[in-house]
Amino acid sequence: MDILDVLLTPSAFAATLRMAIPLLLVSLGGLLTKQAGIENIGLEGLMLIGCFSGFTINYYTSSWMMGLIGAMVCTILCALLFGVFVISLRAHEIVAGVALNVLGTGLTTYLLRAIFGVKGSFTDPRVMSIPEVKLEFLKEVPWLYNIVSGQSILLYISIIILILLQYMLYSTRFGYYIRASGENERALASAGVSVARIRYITLLLHGALCGLGGAFLSTGYLTQYVEKMSAGRGYIAMAAIAFGMAMPKRVLGSVLLFAFVQSLSNRLQICGYPSYFTDMIPYFITVVVLAATSYQSEKKRGRPA
């Protein structure tokens, strides 16, 4: 089988869009805190908490919508807890982010055993999948129809969120406050605006978006919870934010690149490539992108790279 026949197909691009959904939602949340002057490396932990809480609440309510709402509430609380340490108590944000990752991994592993009495993974028919959107009017264009029709409703919601964030950050006073709190917090404070309040509100939005991204993995991409199922996506989202310079449009391009690479690694196995080789591709590309971003950043500052 020709490798191009496997990679450059509508199903490959459709898979890219599916894999982009959680990355885009978490990256949008991460760029908000980045713009506000907070470096939260705890995206992986927040995703895991969103995965588990969304799945569990969906299981008990048999409602995908309640699962999404529950996931957002849980991750908002965790993000605000992170904010208490970083904003109010002046803890080191990197240390707090690492703690958030450890909390997400340990807490979800423990609760999986405590609530469901299993190890590794759990699934149940009571868990309702996030609905898909069929675009029947595109049947006249089969290639496009096969790519965009049947995608999760969260794909379209995430696009709307992207547009709203782009508008908010660059066309509203609140967006100006967010960017000012990251660029020059003293100037913002001297204008009578509470930097802490702006950052707390930003963390609230940040937590909600991470919860949506996490819940999609366990109730949209799959209807199953698997231990550590975020599988490094939080770190890939951080790379997308850095590569996209924390700007919504550029972050979208970065996310699509990483999602395509993830799709590529999965489909290369169809061509007979060993899984231990294909599984490393997304993380290898992430390291390369971060190195290139660091090099460009140091070059702009006039330092030897």
Side-chain angles (χ1 to χ4, degrees):
M1 182 182 294
D2 192 332
I3 189 171
L4 292 180
D5 293 335
V6 175
L7 301 181
L8 302 181
T9 62
S11 61
F13 292 114
T16 297
L17 291 181
R18 282 193 297 274
M19 292 179 178
I21 296 171
L23 286 177
L24 180 58
L25 287 167
V26 175
S27 296
L28 291 177
L31 75 84
L32 277 174
T33 55
K34 181 82 170 179
Q35 291 268 21
I38 299 175
E39 189 73 52
N40 183 10
I41 67 169
L43 300 181
E44 184 80 1
L46 285 176
M47 278 195 81
L48 274 175
I49 292 168
C51 286
F52 184 82
S53 56
F55 179 87
T56 303
I57 294 170
N58 190 323
Y59 169 79
Y60 281 110
T61 63
S62 293
S63 168
W64 64 270
M65 189 172 294
M66 289 302 298
L68 292 181
I69 294 172
M72 287 191 290
V73 170
C74 291
T75 48
I76 284 172
L77 292 176
C78 291
L80 292 179
L81 177 64
F82 171 83
V84 169
F85 282 98
V86 172
I87 300 171
S88 299
L89 301 179
R90 300 289 182 178
H92 197 291
E93 56 192 16
I94 301 300
V95 176
V98 171
L100 192 55
N101 285 331
V102 174
L103 173 67
T105 303
L107 184 62
T108 54
T109 300
Y110 168 75
L111 290 178
L112 178 64
R113 290 159 172 74
I115 296 175
F116 299 112
V118 298
K119 297 180 180 180
S121 65
F122 179 78
T123 186
D124 191 278
R126 282 178 286 183
V127 177
M128 296 291 104
S129 177
I130 298 173
E132 299 175 347
V133 178
K134 297 290 185 180
L135 303 177
E136 300 297 334
F137 64 91
L138 288 177
K139 277 190 173 181
E140 299 298 324
V141 190
W143 192 84
L144 182 61
Y145 175 81
N146 291 331
I147 294 175
V148 299
S149 185
Q151 294 287 351
S152 170
I153 191 173
L154 276 187
L155 173 64
Y156 306 99
I157 291 175
S158 61
I159 292 173
I160 293 172
I161 292 172
L162 171 71
I163 295 170
L164 292 176
L165 284 185
Q166 175 72 25
Y167 176 78
M168 181 190 76
L169 284 172
Y170 300 102
S171 303
T172 67
R173 180 176 295 180
F174 180 65
Y176 170 78
Y177 289 161
I178 290 176
R179 291 186 290 119
S181 67
E183 294 173 7
N184 195 332
E185 61 178 282
R186 290 185 178 179
L188 184 62
S190 67
V193 179
S194 171
V195 175
R197 181 171 62 87
I198 296 298
R199 287 178 172 171
Y200 270 116
I201 295 173
T202 303
L203 277 172
L204 187 150
L205 298 173
H206 164 81
L209 291 173
C210 289
L212 276 180
F216 173 79
L217 285 179
S218 57
T219 59
Y221 193 71
L222 299 172
T223 51
Q224 178 184 23
Y225 181 77
V226 180
E227 284 186 17
K228 303 176 184 177
M229 69 183 305
S230 54
R233 287 179 176 86
Y235 301 112
I236 294 175
M238 289 174 57
I241 295 167
F243 191 49
M245 300 174 65
M247 301 170 72
K249 291 180 181 179
R250 294 188 179 186
V251 166
L252 173 62
S254 302
V255 164
L256 291 176
L257 169 63
F258 286 118
F260 178 75
V261 171
Q262 282 189 312
S263 173
L264 169 68
S265 68
N266 291 338
R267 299 183 72 82
L268 279 176
Q269 296 182 34
I270 301 174
C271 300
Y273 290 88
S275 60
Y276 60 80
F277 169 74
T278 60
D279 288 345
M280 78 172 188
I281 293 177
Y283 307 102
F284 174 75
I285 296 298
T286 301
V287 172
V288 171
V289 167
L290 283 175
T293 303
S294 177
Y295 175 81
Q296 290 296 329
S297 177
E298 293 299 311
K299 194 174 180 181
K300 287 181 180 177
R301 293 174 185 175
R303 299 176 183 174

